[in-house]
Amino acid sequence: MTVSDTLVQEFDVDTLCRRSMQLAGLLDATQGTDSPAWTARSSMARDFLEAEIEHWQTLGILQRARDFYEVDITGGTATYDLPASTLDVFGVAMFKLDGEDTEIPVEPMSQDEYQRLTDKTTAGNPRQYYAHRAATITLYLWTVPDDDGTLTLQRHRLLTTAREGSKTLDLERHWNEAIMWSLAHKLSVASGISIDRCRYMQQQGQAAVARAKSVSTTDFA
């Protein structure tokens, strides 16, 4: 037996959309991106795909992506707005003064703990942070940094867009089947396909999501 040297394929967005259309019966096996209906249908499919991924992430069906994010700290400034891609901040942060190599741990605190600080203007190296969640996340540092530096946060971030057809999704590969069935269901509903067939694809999508979620390797903090 000779095993292929090529790893399992990672589908791009256009391939996922095309296969979903074929599952829904909107394209046959001979039709692809050169089909007259492709431009309009693929645009609709990418919109549905983007909405589905955002919905799954909001519900916690998709685990949130994690990364490190660096904030440039200015001496005398205690509050910092984080980018809209930041869903949450968790765990210990690390502060490093400009020109220094040693990092200082900055521990998280709750809103109540921040509220109870009797002097929120005390200056020094930051020791704690409070992440206030609103339309965007605002970071409150205590003590107020008295010198410039860099704060490295751990954060949950939004997944990258599904609108670019030639790019792959910001997901592990075992989500491909769930994406195809769930997208096929939405496309079927939008195209007026019979209720029974729509229901069948919805059931397949739900089952595929459950399977993918059960083997997901990314957790919440």
Side-chain angles (χ1 to χ4, degrees):
M1 181 176 67
T2 303
V3 178
S4 172
D5 294 330
T6 304
L7 297 176
V8 173
Q9 180 181 358
E10 189 170 11
F11 296 127
D12 61 30
V13 169
D14 275 349
T15 299
L16 289 169
C17 290
R18 181 163 56 92
R19 295 308 186 198
S20 298
M21 291 179 200
Q22 290 168 340
L23 279 175
L26 302 176
L27 292 177
D28 65 36
T30 65
Q31 293 176 300
T33 57
D34 57 347
S35 167
W38 171 256
T39 300
R41 283 179 174 164
S42 64
S43 178
M44 178 173 67
R46 286 192 295 270
D47 284 344
F48 286 157
L49 178 56
E50 183 94 351
E52 187 81 329
I53 290 173
E54 290 174 359
H55 179 60
W56 286 353
Q57 195 170 8
T58 301
L59 294 179
I61 292 173
L62 285 179
Q63 309 291 19
R64 300 167 181 173
R66 299 179 179 189
D67 65 12
F68 295 105
Y69 183 77
E70 293 186 351
V71 180
D72 291 328
I73 300 301
T74 302
T77 302
T79 60
Y80 297 85
D81 291 332
L82 300 184
S85 60
T86 304
L87 290 173
D88 198 7
V89 179
F90 64 91
V92 66
M94 299 299 287
F95 177 71
K96 182 170 64 175
L97 289 166
D98 286 352
E100 298 288 338
D101 295 325
T102 303
E103 293 184 300
I104 303 164
V106 182
E107 299 287 343
M109 62 176 159
S110 68
Q111 180 175 333
D112 188 62
E113 288 171 327
Y114 181 77
Q115 178 71 358
R116 290 174 182 273
L117 293 173
T118 56
D119 186 355
K120 296 179 176 63
T121 63
T122 303
N125 288 329
R127 289 185 281 171
Q128 291 180 285
Y129 74 84
Y130 161 55
H132 181 74
R133 284 192 256 178
T136 57
I137 292 179
T138 300
L139 206 66
Y140 293 82
L141 297 180
W142 188 85
T143 53
V144 179
D146 52 6
D147 286 300
D148 295 350
T150 302
L151 185 70
T152 303
L153 302 169
Q154 302 178 77
R155 67 169 186 163
H156 291 301
R157 62 166 173 81
L158 287 172
L159 298 173
T160 57
T161 183
R163 292 289 307 156
E164 299 178 51
S166 62
K167 303 294 179 64
T168 56
L169 293 177
D170 190 11
L171 293 171
E172 295 164 296
R173 296 181 190 186
H174 60 255
W175 284 97
N176 283 342
E177 184 188 15
I179 289 290
M180 284 190 280
W181 278 113
S182 298
L183 186 53
H185 169 244
K186 288 187 179 297
L187 291 167
S188 299
V189 172
S191 302
I193 290 175
S194 71
I195 294 297
D196 286 343
R197 183 158 177 78
C198 288
R199 186 178 295 115
Y200 170 77
M201 282 183 277
Q202 181 181 38
Q203 291 168 347
Q204 293 298 313
Q206 290 170 340
V209 167
R211 288 193 297 271
K213 188 177 179 184
S214 71
V215 298
S216 182
T217 58
T218 307
D219 329 87
F220 290 101

